[in-house]
Amino acid sequence: MPPDSNQHPVVGPDHQLPASTSEKPKHRAIVWIVLLLIFAAGFLLVLRHHDDTKKPAAGGRRGAAGGTASVTSATAQKGDIGVYLNAIGTVTPVYTSSITAQVSGIVTEVHYTEGQMVRKGDPLIEIDSRLYRATLLQAQGVLERDQGVLAQAQMDLERYQTAWSRNAIPKQTLDDQEKIVQQDQGTVKNDEGTVQFDQVQVDFCHIVAPFTGRIGLRIVDPGNVVSGNGGTTLAVITQIQPITAVFTIAEDSLGQVQPRLRKKAKLAVDAYDRPDQKKIASGTLLTLDNQIDTTTGTVKARASFANKDSSLFPNEFVNAHLLVNTVKDGTLIPTAAIQHNGQAAYVYVLLNNVAHLKPIKVGVTTGETAQVTGINPGDVLATSSFDKLQDKSPVIISNKAAPASSTSGSSAP
């Protein structure tokens, strides 16, 4: 019987139809997903390894180089350090005089040279005194004449007194002669005053140094006419040995200064230059002003300096360091050895060629020296290469100066 044309033909096992075409995209997607996951995992591993190589070792600092660091060192010392009040001030002469003419006339001589050191009484300027000497001579002549008149009146008085004792003259004649003598005495006194005044005018023509000091630039020349009422300055002289400096301190610091002054203590004052690096001179505190400036909350102080080498110049700007106390037997180290991490301070103590981080507390600091606690005198400290140091880093101590970049401070680990 022939097969039914509506029935499907029977397919043998060796002639099965292929799988559906929709399964192929699924298979490919799974493969790609697996590959992407493997790639992502590999990328993360590489990235993590890269980050681990950049991280410092435990307890280290970012950027610390491995290996042994070469450092310079300093030894902590035991000693005294001063507690100073620092202020800005101005060098002020004890005396400053702008010499002016007291009489009018022609300048005949200028005895000084510019910038000369003059002593008290040295001649400076001469003004033509002929007119004043002539007036003085006239006054002296009048005085001599009136002195003679007085002497004659006194002789007459003596004769009248003798005659009165013998009742040879009336009492009125004696009294009149006594009054004449008194009148002549007054005239003589007036003449003496005129002579003294004219003598002063002559002396004003000879101008001398009022005190020992340094004279400034020449202002007048011979032949110049000066006036006694014009106020023309003829010369300026300043005393520079000794000299003073005026500076201000905060009112909150008076408690550190006043008790010492009341005990007559001599507080040392050092004058430093404008950059506050070089000491110019050393002196002592003289006194404080009698009132506080309410606008600034400060009080003025004056210190005296011998200034034998003339290192301080009038009106020069200085930094004044007033010593108010001294810390005895403190541990002193260079400020270059101190590092900071925020408010905390620390140093690296070198022991057996190994750097050990030690926290410290900084007390008094003066210049490049600081008083600290937390270490002992004799400890050897690192003063350079801090960017290469960490706790327990091996080091080599070198006597060579470290580069400027390696001595800068850095944060603690």
Side-chain angles (χ1 to χ4, degrees):
M1 186 173 180
D4 189 354
S5 59
N6 294 329
Q7 293 181 358
H8 294 287
V10 179
V11 179
D14 296 332
H15 297 86
Q16 293 182 359
L17 295 174
S20 176
T21 56
S22 62
E23 294 182 358
K24 292 182 178 180
K26 288 184 178 179
H27 179 71
R28 293 177 180 175
I30 293 172
V31 172
W32 279 109
I33 290 173
V34 173
L35 292 176
L36 288 174
L37 290 175
I38 294 173
F39 178 80
F43 178 79
L44 290 176
L45 288 175
V46 173
L47 183 62
R48 184 174 181 179
H49 177 74
H50 180 69
D51 290 340
D52 289 342
T53 58
K54 293 177 65 177
K55 291 181 180 179
R61 65 181 71 247
R62 176 179 289 183
T68 302
S70 178
V71 300
T72 57
S73 64
T75 303
Q77 305 290 332
K78 183 179 181 180
D80 302 340
I81 187 170
V83 180
Y84 288 88
L85 295 178
N86 299 334
I88 58 175
T90 304
V91 177
T92 307
V94 178
Y95 299 122
T96 300
S97 178
S98 297
I99 300 173
T100 59
Q102 301 300 308
V103 294
S104 300
I106 300 175
V107 176
T108 58
E109 291 183 76
V110 177
H111 296 290
Y112 67 85
T113 58
E114 295 176 319
Q116 176 186 352
M117 289 294 298
V118 296
R119 303 188 64 82
K120 183 178 181 179
D122 287 350
L124 300 179
I125 296 173
E126 297 289 342
I127 298 176
D128 189 1
S129 62
R130 291 174 296 176
L131 176 63
Y132 300 101
R133 285 189 283 108
T135 303
L136 173 61
L137 188 61
Q138 290 176 346
Q140 290 173 341
V142 173
L143 174 61
E144 291 177 0
R145 183 197 65 191
D146 292 339
Q147 285 175 338
V149 173
L150 174 60
Q152 183 179 4
Q154 288 175 336
M155 288 188 298
D156 290 343
L157 178 60
E158 291 175 359
R159 287 195 294 266
Y160 289 162
Q161 288 174 342
T162 302
W164 163 250
S165 64
R166 298 176 181 177
N167 293 325
I169 58 172
K171 182 67 168 56
Q172 182 179 358
T173 303
L174 177 61
D175 294 340
D176 290 344
Q177 189 60 34
E178 289 177 349
K179 300 304 179 183
I180 292 174
V181 169
Q182 291 179 356
Q183 292 175 8
D184 292 340
Q185 287 175 340
T187 302
V188 169
K189 286 185 178 180
N190 182 71
D191 295 341
E192 289 175 346
T194 302
V195 170
Q196 291 180 5
F197 177 81
D198 292 338
Q199 182 62 58
V200 170
Q201 302 304 300
V202 173
D203 294 339
F204 280 155
C205 294
H206 177 65
I207 300 175
V208 299
F211 50 81
T212 299
R214 183 174 183 269
I215 203 151
L217 302 180
R218 187 176 69 253
I219 300 175
V220 295
D221 300 313
N224 293 156
V225 177
V226 296
S227 174
N229 299 324
T232 302
T233 300
L234 305 182
V236 178
I237 183 172
T238 57
Q239 178 177 320
I240 60 174
Q241 296 175 346
I243 203 167
T244 68
V246 176
F247 56 94
T248 58
I249 61 175
E251 59 180 316
D252 296 337
S253 301
L254 289 177
Q256 299 176 274
V257 179
Q258 280 190 308
R260 304 288 303 278
L261 287 178
R262 283 195 290 265
K263 294 180 181 179
K264 307 298 182 182
K266 292 185 177 181
L267 301 183
V269 180
D270 295 329
Y272 281 73
D273 58 3
R274 183 180 291 272
D276 204 13
Q277 298 295 325
K278 178 183 178 182
K279 184 168 72 172
I280 304 174
S282 296
T284 56
L285 181 66
L286 288 179
T287 187
L288 298 176
D289 201 358
N290 59 357
Q291 59 184 345
I292 295 173
D293 187 345
T294 57
T295 59
T296 61
T298 59
V299 61
K300 290 182 179 180
R302 184 185 293 271
S304 177
F305 300 87
N307 201 32
K308 293 182 179 179
D309 57 354
S310 301
S311 56
L312 293 176
F313 204 82
N315 294 335
E316 179 183 6
F317 176 92
V318 294
N319 286 282
H321 295 189
L322 171 61
L323 178 64
V324 295
N325 197 6
T326 302
V327 176
K328 299 289 186 179
D329 298 329
T331 302
L332 309 181
I333 66 173
T335 55
I338 302 174
Q339 299 297 294
H340 293 88
N341 178 20
Q343 299 297 324
Y346 63 95
V347 296
Y348 285 103
V349 178
L350 307 180
L351 183 62
N352 296 327
N353 291 331
V354 176
H356 299 274
L357 187 148
K358 297 289 184 181
I360 60 171
K361 290 185 178 180
V362 182
V364 179
T365 300
T366 300
E368 298 180 354
T369 303
Q371 175 263 328
V372 300
T373 56
I375 60 174
N376 300 317
D379 288 346
V380 180
L381 311 176
T383 58
S384 67
S385 302
F386 296 110
D387 56 340
K388 301 177 182 179
L389 292 181
Q390 56 187 3
D391 192 22
K392 297 181 182 179
S393 293
V395 297
I396 296 177
I397 299 178
S398 172
N399 293 327
K400 295 182 180 180
S405 60
S406 64
T407 59
S408 59
S410 57
S411 299

